[in-house]
Amino acid sequence: MPTHEMLPPASTTPLMSFVITTYNLPSDLLRDCLDSVLQLPLRDDEREIVLVDDGSEQSPLNELQAYADRLTYVRKSNGGQSTARNMGIACSHGTYIQFIDGDDMLNSQVYAYCLDIMRREQPDILLFRYSRQPVHNISEGYTGPMEGNEYLRHHNLRAGPGGYLFRKDILAGLRFHEGIIMEDEEFTPLLFLRAERVFFTDAQAYYYREREGSTMRKRDEQWIKKRFDDTRTVIFSLHEKADRLPTADREALLRRVHQLTMDYLYLIMKQTSDPDILEERVRELHDKGLFPLPDRDYTTKYKWFRRMTMTRTGRRLLGGILRSGSLGV
């Protein structure tokens, strides 16, 4: 099986590179993930599987010998999801890239429909939906093309990189921000700004499997603080980048910044009862010109949330309601 030190030269350009990232995952989950890719209607020369092991305590290779001839295994020192995905980009040769977390799967029949769209339309990005259980029925129909900035101006973005396939050559120098846990929230909108042909479908092609111990299920105090800090880092970074963009791109990116700011405040109010923490974070946003939230007609939820958070009293009231679980937002 190839390793990072001996990556095989690509004799032809595969149509799809599937970049699968893993860290200390049970081998049965990885086999399910790999099977979901191998079940797709792609010839071997159209499909490349790059399995990036982010420094697992024990390599999964011995348990994956049945797949040895059909994937490239890359082992690196532990650095987090962003470093693993960046390594996968560097090692992939396909025209298109699909990221998959090793404990997730593709809904193979539905994803095959997305491949049909991709072959027909040759998009820069094809966006689809997640499911939380296996899905076999296909929701046919899709919309596009539109430019990426147009999509961002008129839609709420689902930033998880498992939720779309994209043409590798639109990346240019774009990579995931390493060292943070909210890296997809920065990467995805910047990728969309590079796209001229975006298509989207309601087909549920990616199966997100919730698992005890996964990153998004962690709830300890240190991790929660890091999530707050990293979200703030992404918001400030995107806001700064927006100031240097042409008008259409700036408006598109600012919508994403404002939505992320709303989500950030929502998260803080829901996960901490300390009003001083909330008010400190609000002051930081205010100093950057990000609070109060601007008066924009994005969504009903955004307009409602903006009004509720304009005052300290409103923020405390909303926080109490959110923590009590009596508000289904």
Side-chain angles (χ1 to χ4, degrees):
M1 182 178 297
T3 65
H4 176 44
E5 290 75 18
M6 297 185 296
L7 289 176
S11 56
T12 60
T13 301
L15 178 64
M16 290 292 308
S17 288
F18 297 92
V19 175
I20 301 172
T21 53
T22 180
Y23 173 69
N24 286 346
L25 291 178
S27 57
D28 60 326
L29 294 182
L30 287 174
R31 284 193 291 268
D32 287 345
C33 181
L34 290 166
D35 286 342
S36 74
V37 174
L38 291 170
Q39 289 166 9
L40 296 171
L42 292 165
R43 301 189 309 269
D44 284 345
D45 63 348
E46 292 181 311
R47 171 178 44 221
E48 175 185 56
I49 301 175
V50 180
L51 177 62
V52 183
D53 181 352
D54 188 35
S56 297
E57 294 172 9
Q58 183 173 341
S59 169
L61 282 182
N62 288 339
E63 303 294 329
L64 299 176
Q65 286 302 313
Y67 304 90
D69 296 334
R70 307 187 77 176
L71 62 84
T72 297
Y73 175 76
V74 183
R75 182 171 173 84
K76 58 180 286 298
S77 59
N78 180 250
Q81 182 79 285
S82 54
T83 65
R85 289 175 178 155
N86 286 340
M87 180 67 79
I89 291 171
C91 297
S92 64
H93 305 94
T95 301
Y96 288 91
I97 290 178
Q98 172 69 56
F99 289 111
I100 314 174
D101 292 348
D103 48 353
D104 295 335
M105 298 171 60
L106 300 179
N107 288 316
S108 301
Q109 290 175 262
V110 184
Y111 197 91
Y113 171 69
C114 294
L115 290 176
D116 289 341
I117 300 173
M118 182 263 288
R119 292 179 189 274
R120 183 182 310 121
E121 301 292 354
Q122 299 184 358
D124 292 330
I125 297 176
L126 173 60
L127 188 71
F128 38 81
R129 292 192 177 274
Y130 289 85
S131 71
R132 293 182 181 272
Q133 61 277 325
V135 172
H136 305 289
N137 297 326
I138 300 169
S139 300
E140 294 192 7
Y142 59 93
T143 302
M146 65 176 62
E147 292 190 5
N149 61 23
E150 181 184 0
Y151 184 89
L152 291 177
R153 287 199 305 273
H154 298 289
H155 297 84
N156 291 340
L157 182 67
R158 304 186 302 274
Y164 55 86
L165 59 85
F166 66 94
R167 188 184 295 273
K168 184 181 180 181
D169 62 13
I170 70 170
L171 278 171
L174 179 63
R175 296 295 184 270
F176 288 94
H177 186 149
E178 299 188 358
I180 64 174
I181 57 176
M182 306 299 293
E183 72 282 352
D184 48 351
E185 296 288 1
E186 182 176 21
F187 176 89
T188 298
L190 295 178
L191 182 69
F192 269 70
L193 290 181
R194 288 161 162 76
E196 296 181 358
R197 289 175 56 80
V198 173
F199 291 78
F200 55 99
T201 174
D202 286 334
Q204 294 178 296
Y206 189 99
Y207 174 18
Y208 172 71
R209 300 198 287 188
E210 287 191 295
R211 182 178 60 86
E212 289 295 332
S214 67
T215 300
M216 295 311 295
R217 290 180 67 90
K218 291 182 179 178
R219 292 294 184 267
D220 62 86
E221 184 175 337
Q222 183 177 358
W223 186 87
I224 289 172
K225 181 180 184 302
K226 179 169 175 55
R227 188 177 181 188
F228 291 168
D229 291 345
D230 289 354
T231 303
R232 178 187 59 194
T233 295
V234 169
I235 291 169
F236 289 175
S237 174
L238 292 178
H239 189 230
E240 180 181 351
K241 287 179 171 64
D243 287 340
R244 302 194 295 267
L245 294 175
T247 300
D249 286 355
R250 181 170 65 253
E251 291 177 355
L253 192 55
L254 284 177
R255 171 173 172 147
R256 187 59 188 160
V257 168
H258 300 153
Q259 289 175 310
L260 280 174
T261 304
M262 176 185 70
D263 292 344
Y264 172 59
L265 291 172
Y266 175 94
L267 184 69
I268 294 168
M269 287 188 287
K270 188 174 178 65
Q271 295 196 339
T272 180
S273 59
D274 187 340
D276 291 337
I277 293 176
L278 173 61
E279 295 309 315
E280 179 184 355
R281 300 280 175 163
V282 166
R283 285 193 296 272
E284 291 173 344
L285 293 170
H286 182 272
D287 290 344
K288 292 289 187 178
L290 290 164
F291 191 88
L293 291 168
D295 188 5
R296 298 287 190 274
D297 192 23
Y298 294 144
T299 64
T300 299
K301 176 182 175 181
Y302 177 88
K303 291 187 290 184
W304 172 84
F305 188 90
R306 176 184 178 275
R307 288 195 298 269
M308 285 290 292
T309 56
M310 289 288 288
T311 66
R312 182 189 294 256
T313 300
R315 293 191 290 273
R316 290 190 177 185
L317 175 62
L318 180 57
I321 294 171
L322 292 173
R323 290 190 298 276
S324 72
S326 59
L327 185 65
V329 178

